[in-house]
Amino acid sequence: MIKGLHHVQITIPTGEEEAGRAFYCEGLGIEEMEKPASLQGRGGFWLKVGNRQVHVGTEEGFDRFQTKAHIAYEVSDLDYWKQRLNKLGIEIVEAVPIPGYERFECRDPFGNRMEFIKESEK
């Protein structure tokens, strides 16, 4: 039986960890968490998002702009995030509507697709 979701992993180019931290930790305000000692030498870093984790790994030879794979961040104020991301130089793309939600999409500075989603007001 699957009990829930523990973490997701995205990747950034090898050697871009500091730029990744700058975007995710400083720009988006996501808390970095310590990786286990056994994994610290592998590059990347981990983030704490609510009660879940995002593992930011490193890899080369992958065109992140060619995939629909993404993380959807649930937020309480979409306008706030549109403004914050615009200030970070991130282009906002309106998403295809789905019932019961408001949302938009964008790409992080490394090409990873991100969705910001909010339950519609009833």
Side-chain angles (χ1 to χ4, degrees):
M1 171 168 87
I2 296 176
K3 293 176 19 177
L5 180 66
H6 182 272
H7 74 272
V8 297
Q9 180 165 334
I10 60 171
T11 62
I12 60 175
T14 302
E16 293 291 322
E17 287 93 341
E18 289 311 309
R21 284 183 178 95
F23 179 73
Y24 281 99
C25 300
E26 296 169 30
L28 299 186
I30 300 174
E31 179 184 348
E32 183 174 358
M33 60 184 291
E34 189 170 347
K35 288 174 62 172
S38 61
L39 298 176
Q40 288 181 3
R42 299 180 67 174
F45 55 96
W46 289 7
L47 302 168
K48 182 178 179 182
V49 180
N51 62 354
R52 301 291 181 248
Q53 300 173 17
V54 175
H55 296 181
V56 181
T58 58
E59 76 179 334
E60 291 299 323
F62 180 71
D63 186 353
R64 292 160 190 85
F65 288 97
Q66 297 301 314
T67 181
K68 292 182 181 181
H70 66 282
I71 296 176
Y73 294 102
E74 184 177 6
V75 299
S76 58
D77 186 341
L78 284 179
D79 289 333
Y80 168 84
W81 283 103
K82 284 181 182 179
Q83 292 172 13
R84 187 163 180 168
L85 289 161
N86 278 327
K87 288 179 183 175
L88 294 170
I90 302 297
E91 180 184 352
I92 304 300
V93 177
E94 293 303 319
V96 175
I98 57 175
Y101 293 92
E102 301 171 49
R103 63 193 190 124
F104 68 86
E105 299 174 7
C106 59
R107 297 272 177 173
D108 74 7
F110 313 98
N112 293 298
R113 185 173 163 221
M114 301 186 299
E115 179 180 331
F116 288 75
I117 189 165
K118 174 186 179 287
E119 193 169 359
S120 297
E121 304 290 321
K122 295 192 173 85

